[in-house]
Amino acid sequence: MKFVVDLFGLPGSGKTTMAEGVVSHFKNIEIYKLNGRLWGDKGKNSVFYKIRVITSILRFKYVKIFINNIILLKNNNLLKKENLIRNIRLILYFGELEIIFREKKMFYLSDNGLFQTFVSMIFTYDYDLINLNEVEKIIISFKNVPIIKKIHFTYVRCDYLTSYERINMRNKSIRSKLDNGDATKKILKWQSDIFDLFLKHFNNIIMV
């Protein structure tokens, strides 16, 4: 049986620390990171592998998700380069999952997967302008993708105030674009609300 664990949570919740701890303890688990396999982190940088990923997403269900995400971004004034790139990464993630479930290795662990990338895709400092009903419809549409039911999603729970404190304690060199200096309690609270929408609609999520 294939075992794919997808960690998600607020910045500073401990996703990466948890992933590194699991991998160091269980040597046979390969860390799977979004785009890492596609662009070479695990030696999967061959043209053949990239073609496999791209052909895996050229299916109606994934094209539909991509287009719906574009519409969501457009309706909420988020048609910006970074948001569009994250939409592409989201779809590539599906493509890599398709390949993973055809490979022989049994264990995969991601600390930057589907739900995390979706929240990154709609990242903005003007969250008040985003229509949450539209966001929720997209989240619900993910339930129609069969491969999602095979993933063990793990929500590394951390309240937004604790996340805010941890972010401001981080060394600047390891801060991400999402939490680099401009992070606010308001943004983190909004991200937490989006994660709660996933909890509301998916029953294959555990919390730690």
Side-chain angles (χ1 to χ4, degrees):
M1 179 180 178
K2 192 76 66 175
F3 200 78
V4 180
V5 177
D6 187 327
L7 303 175
F8 67 98
L10 292 176
S13 60
K15 301 182 298 295
T16 301
T17 301
M18 182 177 294
E20 291 174 350
V22 170
V23 171
S24 64
H25 188 73
F26 300 99
K27 301 297 183 182
N28 61 332
I29 296 182
E30 175 184 356
I31 287 189
Y32 167 75
K33 289 189 176 181
L34 181 66
N35 278 351
R37 292 165 60 84
L38 186 59
W39 304 123
D41 284 359
K42 293 293 181 181
K44 297 285 190 177
N45 56 349
S46 68
V47 174
F48 176 69
Y49 183 77
K50 293 177 182 179
I51 291 174
R52 287 179 66 198
V53 172
I54 292 171
T55 54
S56 293
I57 59 177
L58 294 179
R59 305 179 183 185
F60 175 75
K61 57 187 175 184
Y62 297 134
V63 173
K64 183 178 180 181
I65 289 174
F66 180 80
I67 293 174
N68 286 342
N69 287 345
I70 292 292
I71 294 172
L72 172 67
L73 294 175
K74 181 179 182 298
N75 290 346
N76 290 277
N77 297 314
L78 290 174
L79 277 180
K80 302 173 184 177
K81 181 179 178 180
E82 287 192 358
N83 301 89
L84 291 171
I85 288 174
R86 288 168 187 149
N87 185 22
I88 293 172
R89 288 177 179 171
L90 182 73
I91 303 304
L92 288 175
Y93 179 81
F94 281 115
E96 295 195 82
L97 283 175
E98 290 283 350
I99 292 176
I100 274 179
F101 282 99
R102 293 197 292 265
E103 290 185 339
K104 293 181 180 180
K105 291 186 177 181
M106 302 302 295
F107 300 99
Y108 294 88
L109 179 63
S110 171
D111 65 351
N112 190 15
L114 177 63
F115 298 164
Q116 201 73 35
T117 304
F118 179 79
V119 171
S120 297
M121 183 191 75
I122 57 176
F123 179 80
T124 174
Y125 293 109
D126 298 315
Y127 280 126
D128 290 341
L129 303 179
I130 291 183
N131 186 324
L132 283 179
N133 289 328
E134 287 189 41
V135 172
E136 188 167 12
K137 287 180 181 178
I138 297 292
I139 290 174
I140 293 173
S141 72
F142 289 160
K143 297 176 67 176
N144 298 322
V145 181
I147 203 168
I148 289 182
K149 299 176 183 178
K150 301 178 182 179
I151 302 172
H152 300 271
F153 291 104
T154 302
Y155 185 15
V156 185
R157 197 75 186 246
C158 173
D159 67 84
Y160 73 97
L161 294 176
T162 301
S163 174
Y164 180 78
E165 292 175 0
R166 291 177 179 174
I167 286 170
N168 287 294
M169 291 173 61
R170 280 180 174 177
N171 185 303
K172 291 183 179 180
S173 64
I174 62 172
R175 290 183 178 180
S176 70
K177 291 182 179 179
L178 295 183
D179 58 25
N180 188 11
D182 297 311
T184 64
K185 295 176 183 177
K186 183 178 179 181
I187 290 172
L188 295 169
K189 175 63 169 64
W190 192 89
Q191 290 183 336
S192 179
D193 290 343
I194 298 300
F195 286 138
D196 285 342
L197 289 177
F198 283 107
L199 286 173
K200 175 182 176 181
H201 294 288
F202 287 83
N203 57 14
N204 55 332
I205 299 175
I206 63 171
M207 291 188 291
V208 296

